[in-house]
Amino acid sequence: MLSVEEINEIQNEIKQYPYPKVACIDALKIVQQHRAWVSDESVSDIAELLGMSAEEVDGIATFYSRIYRQPVGRNIILICDSVSCMIMGYESLYEYLSKKLKIRFGETTSDGRFTILPNSCLGDCDNAPAMMVNNDHFNRLTIEKLDEILDRYK
Ligand code: FES
């Protein structure tokens, strides 16, 4: 069940648009801000609020890679796996991170600190390899840089 705060925030978004459906991505983002991810139950609650089917909301949620439909860690690492980053060594960085954190793509560390996800081009090909942690962008990555970056996130 959505909280009163979530419902109020979604209602405020709905007011900005001619049709409630248009606020779908905003509603998903609001719920994710509150809960870190969007469960099936939340998808159904959003659908009811917007006059949509749960399938329609789920279709939108799964289209956007940054709407998380499964529980995630406190910090999300998005590693670019597109062409420039691949050429510039993304695979060895991913293997290093994966070994260090003992998780593979889509998994979360046992302490809930990190989730690693693949991501298509982050728009920083000139400075590949690149990744994001939460909303922070990092580029020209090296293994040494990765160690220093991870230490910033608890
Ligand atoms: S290919 Fe990685 S940032 Fe574009």
Side-chain angles (χ1 to χ4, degrees):
M1 190 193 240
L2 298 179
S3 69
V4 172
E5 201 179 352
E6 287 168 319
I7 292 170
N8 287 340
E9 288 177 33
I10 293 169
Q11 297 285 17
N12 281 337
E13 291 302 325
I14 290 172
K15 285 181 201 159
Q16 315 294 319
Y17 301 108
Y19 307 105
K21 281 182 181 191
V22 187
C24 186
I25 189 67
D26 298 298
L28 289 162
K29 283 161 69 180
I30 287 166
V31 169
Q32 184 162 288
Q33 276 162 11
H34 285 269
R35 301 166 188 242
W37 67 291
V38 183
S39 67
D40 288 345
E41 188 191 358
S42 294
V43 163
S44 296
D45 292 341
I46 290 169
E48 197 179 327
L49 205 57
L50 301 181
M52 301 170 70
S53 70
E55 290 74 22
E56 284 177 302
V57 175
D58 187 46
I60 291 168
T62 51
F63 179 78
Y64 291 98
S65 62
R66 296 196 69 188
I67 295 293
Y68 307 123
R69 292 286 281 112
Q70 293 182 2
V72 289
R74 295 188 296 282
N75 303 291
I76 316 285
I77 301 172
L78 298 169
I79 306 179
C80 175
D81 62 357
S82 295
V83 176
S84 297
C85 289
M86 198 172 278
I87 291 168
M88 295 305 287
Y90 124 86
E91 277 179 58
S92 58
L93 293 172
Y94 168 61
E95 287 307 326
Y96 177 77
L97 267 182
S98 177
K99 202 168 169 186
K100 182 180 171 96
L101 300 175
K102 301 184 177 67
I103 50 174
R104 306 295 291 176
F105 276 139
E107 295 177 347
T108 299
T109 53
S110 56
D111 60 1
R113 188 172 163 212
F114 290 109
T115 296
I116 306 182
L117 297 171
N119 204 90
S120 55
C121 183
L122 291 167
D124 195 13
C125 314
D126 287 357
N127 297 303
M131 73 173 192
M132 291 185 75
V133 181
N134 305 330
N135 291 321
D136 304 325
H137 183 91
F138 301 97
N139 57 25
R140 296 179 187 249
L141 293 169
T142 60
I143 283 169
E144 294 71 31
K145 260 189 166 179
L146 281 182
D147 282 334
E148 184 264 317
I149 290 166
L150 292 186
D151 284 346
R152 300 184 203 175
Y153 298 90
K154 301 300 167 198

